[in-house]
Amino acid sequence: MAQLSTQHAQLLQHGDFLQLTLSNPDSLPSSQFTLPNGTTVSILDTGVICFEPVLCESDTKDIVLSCGVHGNETAPIEICAELVKDLLTGQLQLKHRLLVLFGNPAAINASTREITENLNRLFSGHHSMGAGLINAERKRAKALEEYVSRFYQEVRVTNVVPRNRYLYDLHTAIRGSRFEKFAVYPFLHNKPWQKAQFEFLQACDVTTVLLMQTPASTFSYYASNTHGADAFTIELGKVQPFGRNDMQRFAKARAALRQLVSEAAVSTVHFDEQQFQLYQVYRAINKQTQEFKLHFADDVENFTAYPQGTLLATDGDIEYRVEREGEAIIFPNAKVAIGQRAMLMVVPTTVAHNIA
């Protein structure tokens, strides 16, 4: 790996990996150094930094935290930038292997969700389907997959205890939500949901969970399905520009994430389904033509429910109406590309029948 330049070293001395990333949005030479506490730090690319503490044989967690997959979702970027800064400056002592990813630096610089294409629809090989690696976001998705694979597979500890893999992809939503914070649990192909993960989400102040029913092209599904990781897309609130986030609203999530990487275990309470709002996907509505139109206001919140028969959207001659009682909308976005999901319809559910 290359030696750090003087400018890069100065930024890292102050813990400002985010600024280093945003100053070099397209690429960054790989480099490696050791902190005074013995933690090995590897910069693998722009926005990609790996921390490996001096591990004992009982440490079995490999943790990935990602943010900025959508460039205008700033609160998670600020949370991760602070965590990385405190690790680099020794204010936070690392306990477990950690990979932190700032997903789309060019979009972060542009304060936009994406530059050309939605990065969070390009994982599990979707980056190379169709037209192939034709833009920076497709190439970045492929690279992020490779960095995650390498991180999970290249472990210095040689104990025989199975290692526990995690990926928490942190986001904020385009619109508000009836439940300010919520998580998306990727489709597990009939494997049981994990009580411990619900307990961790609750420690992050997240008690609304959407259980997916089909494979997806998201980062969290990639980590879950390809690497067997406990993985989630976590929505921490509504999109705000840098400097406009009320960081007190993320205090519990920030504390839980810091505890996750720096302690043997996170302080949690026993899982009680009655403390959660659980939903499953009832149907997905995909945009088929440029005539697609939503028939509710732009400020309607996620998880809003309407009476049966209510017109939700039209797509040319096609009408989409509420089909069953309790059906609610989530992630409505008429501006997606043709063929992509424009809205999910969800209904309340339970996990009691398949939880471990």
Side-chain angles (χ1 to χ4, degrees), residues 201-346:
L201 291 174
Q202 188 170 19
C204 291
D205 199 26
V206 177
T207 55
T208 300
V209 183
L210 173 60
L211 309 171
M212 300 300 288
Q213 305 299 305
T214 57
S217 52
T218 60
F219 202 10
S220 59
Y221 177 78
Y222 163 76
S224 172
N225 186 59
T226 302
H227 296 291
D230 288 308
F232 292 83
T233 304
I234 301 180
E235 303 280 354
L236 291 174
K238 189 176 179 181
V239 167
Q240 297 288 351
F242 279 118
R244 295 274 298 277
N245 293 298
D246 178 1
M247 298 308 288
Q248 284 301 313
R249 304 188 78 87
F250 313 109
K252 289 185 178 179
R254 172 184 172 275
L257 290 168
R258 293 168 72 89
Q259 196 174 33
L260 175 71
V261 304
S262 65
E263 302 290 344
V266 177
S267 300
T268 60
V269 297
H270 184 71
F271 174 68
D272 176 4
E273 185 173 316
Q274 298 305 311
Q275 302 300 313
F276 286 77
Q277 299 82 38
L278 303 178
Y279 290 84
Q280 70 178 28
V281 176
Y282 172 63
R283 56 180 170 146
I285 295 175
N286 294 333
K287 180 176 179 177
Q288 298 183 35
T289 74
Q290 292 293 356
E291 296 178 47
F292 184 90
K293 180 182 178 181
L294 297 173
H295 286 263
F296 45 81
D298 289 341
D299 60 354
V300 167
E301 296 181 326
N302 283 318
F303 296 101
T304 295
Y306 291 98
Q308 279 183 275
T310 300
L311 180 65
L312 299 170
T314 53
D315 199 347
D317 295 333
I318 304 171
E319 291 187 347
Y320 295 100
R321 296 180 179 272
V322 176
E323 293 182 352
R324 57 179 283 185
E325 204 64 40
E327 194 177 5
I329 61 172
I330 190 170
F331 299 135
N333 184 2
K335 297 179 181 179
V336 299
I338 291 175
Q340 288 194 357
R341 183 190 74 202
M343 181 165 50
L344 285 177
M345 305 303 299
V346 301

Side-chain angles (χ1 to χ4, degrees), residues 18 22 67-68 70-72 77 102-112 242:
L18 176 60
L22 299 184
C67 64
H70 296 138
N72 61 341
I77 298 168
F102 296 85
N104 195 339
I108 298 173
N109 276 337
S111 301
T112 58
F242 279 118

Side-chain angles (χ1 to χ4, degrees), residues 34-61:
T34 303
L35 298 177
N37 59 22
T39 296
T40 299
V41 180
S42 302
I43 296 174
L44 305 178
D45 195 350
T46 185
V48 182
I49 188 167
C50 179
F51 297 88
E52 296 191 87
V54 178
L55 295 175
C56 66
E57 292 294 308
S58 61
D59 291 330
T60 62
K61 294 180 182 177

